[in-house]
Amino acid sequence: MRVRSFEISGVHEFTPKSFPDHRGLFVAPFQESAFLEAVGHPLRLAQTNHSVSARNVIRGVHFADVPPGQAKYVYCPQGSLIDVVVDIRVGSPTFGQWAAAKLDSTEYRALYTAEGLGHAFLALEDDTVLAYLCSTPFNPSAEHGIAPLDAELGLPWEHYLSGEPVLSEKDRAAPTLAEAAELGLLPAYETCQARYAELREQHAARS
């Protein structure tokens, strides 16, 4: 498993080795040993999600209140997409910056998004599937969104769109990053760092 960390803390890309043969292919997109080494604590698995999207569908930017927040480990078992993580943690040295990676069913790369970060993606072809491993269950009262077309964020959709973007009404009506900050919706960087430290301490106590 090859691991790449981004400038935004809490974002890691994992590229597993694939084993093709005459029958097809075998690959392990999530491997706990590599995850532990990169992140410093295990991924608590509370829920798995599965989305199917048509070409030009954008989902996100989504995030959850911290604590506890919701960390996500995502990979694409069918099709291809551009996965984007946005640092929305107020006080972070990389606040407002984003990182992007192409996930597809050729290399089976995965992207980890820690608690307090925003997550979005753009499907590059029809019937694109995203598989999510989530650290906490869905909690509607704690879930929020930021407009994926926020001009000030400048997310890279225009480089990959082959037509008009397709968004849910909820995502289309979401506030910009600046508006979300004014509304007090965004997590604090210090709170997120405390949450990460707590998870590492819990792991150390069990080891």
Side-chain angles (χ1 to χ4, degrees), residues 32-173:
E32 186 177 49
S33 59
F35 183 89
L36 269 172
E37 185 175 348
V39 180
H41 62 79
L43 176 66
R44 177 178 181 265
L45 180 58
Q47 181 171 313
T48 62
N49 298 335
H50 178 103
S51 67
V52 182
S53 300
R55 189 176 189 178
N56 295 324
V57 165
I58 297 175
R59 297 180 187 262
V61 179
H62 300 151
F63 66 99
D65 290 336
V66 181
Q70 186 185 69
K72 297 174 182 175
Y73 188 99
V74 301
Y75 66 95
C76 178
Q78 177 175 296
S80 60
L81 58 92
I82 297 299
D83 205 71
V84 176
V85 181
V86 184
D87 193 346
I88 58 170
R89 301 166 297 188
V90 177
S92 169
T94 54
F95 178 77
Q97 296 182 29
W98 51 266
K102 184 179 180 182
L103 308 184
D104 57 34
S105 54
T106 300
E107 296 193 61
Y108 295 91
R109 281 185 297 270
L111 205 65
Y112 173 69
T113 303
E115 294 86 348
L117 295 168
H119 176 258
F121 72 88
L122 164 66
L124 300 179
E125 52 189 289
D126 288 337
D127 298 318
T128 289
V129 174
L130 188 65
Y132 313 65
L133 309 182
C134 302
S135 66
T136 57
F138 177 64
N139 180 2
S141 64
E143 298 282 334
H144 307 285
I146 293 167
L149 304 182
D150 180 353
E152 289 193 15
L153 268 182
L155 301 182
W157 313 131
E158 64 181 29
H159 301 296
Y160 302 98
L161 281 164
S162 58
E164 289 297 312
V166 181
L167 282 71
S168 70
E169 289 302 317
K170 183 178 179 181
D171 287 345
R172 194 173 292 279

